[in-house]
Amino acid sequence: MNDTEVGRFWDDNADSWTFLARAGCDDWRDLVNAPAFQRMLPDVNGLSGLDVGCGEGYNSRLTAARGARMVAFDISRKFVRYADEEARRTGAVIRHLSASAQYLPFPGACF
């Protein structure tokens, strides 16, 4: 399986995943994982952050709301579209890209 195939599998799942997550059906994300992750972060105000495999962008938006300059990417173009649309709707300033985590499109040590 290559990156293109993986991206297609995630694209096939993105509509349902995004709908259900935004409908409040992802209790682990909303009540456990995201709050625990946010508590672990230091003060991110003014720092640059990278969300690898951002999905529909939930953690990116939470972290941007704390003042981080976020860049978020996913192998699924559909997830990137959902993440970008929601960031724009909510006023979150996040740079979204479609990319593979195997081939990061950034110079070293920039985050």
Side-chain angles (χ1 to χ4, degrees):
M1 185 173 293
N2 63 33
D3 290 356
T4 302
E5 292 171 302
V6 172
R8 276 198 311 267
F9 280 113
W10 279 109
D11 277 346
D12 289 347
N13 191 36
D15 295 331
S16 297
W17 183 293
T18 301
F19 174 80
L20 292 170
R22 291 182 181 173
C25 297
D26 192 344
D27 289 339
W28 280 102
R29 179 194 77 172
D30 296 342
L31 302 175
V32 180
N33 294 339
F37 174 69
Q38 292 295 316
R39 280 192 304 273
M40 288 187 329
L41 291 177
D43 179 10
V44 296
N45 189 38
L47 298 178
S48 295
L50 178 63
D51 188 349
V52 178
C54 68
E56 61 80 49
Y58 185 72
N59 280 308
S60 301
R61 291 189 301 276
L62 290 177
T63 308
R66 294 179 54 189
R69 292 183 307 272
M70 294 299 296
V71 175
F73 73 89
D74 201 282
I75 200 164
S76 164
R77 292 183 188 280
K78 276 191 178 183
F79 270 138
V80 170
R81 188 184 78 237
Y82 280 124
D84 194 52
E85 288 171 354
E86 187 67 5
R88 291 175 193 272
R89 188 188 72 75
T90 62
V93 178
I94 301 169
R95 180 177 168 214
H96 291 98
L97 304 166
S98 179
S100 168
Q102 291 188 80
Y103 310 102
L104 296 178
F106 312 103
C110 66
F111 293 96

